[in-house]
Amino acid sequence: MAISPFSARPASPQGEGRRARLAIVIATVGIAATLLAYAISPGVRHAVGHAAHSVKHAVGHVFDPDHVFSPARPHPKKLHLVQPLHSAHAKPHSPSRSKG
């Protein structure tokens, strides 16, 4: 007994051609819509500018030899350790009384 609720028929050569054309049409429409949104909306252009800047910055860090951190060389920035909420040095919290 088949698990699928419908039978999977082998694809015909005509069906494969139609599927390929449909994929190309969908990709073309998606790219055209993206370019149209970029051309019309200043907000989209602004967001794309920020994304491009972030990518440029990240790629620069990847290829900059001064920013390569290995286990033999510790990270130059000091880490700020955060004290846990319930530490031994924390002041005990007294519940507030509601007046009512």
Side-chain angles (χ1 to χ4, degrees), residues 31-45:
I31 291 169
T34 303
L35 292 174
L36 182 65
Y38 182 78
I40 292 175
S41 173
V44 171
R45 284 196 303 271

Side-chain angles (χ1 to χ4, degrees), residues 19-63:
R19 185 179 300 150
R21 283 194 302 275
L22 181 63
I24 290 171
V25 167
I26 290 172
T28 304
V29 169
I31 291 169
T34 303
L35 292 174
L36 182 65
Y38 182 78
I40 292 175
S41 173
V44 171
R45 284 196 303 271
H46 186 77
V48 168
H50 278 291
H53 180 76
S54 296
V55 168
K56 181 180 175 183
H57 186 72
V59 169
H61 278 294
V62 168
F63 291 113

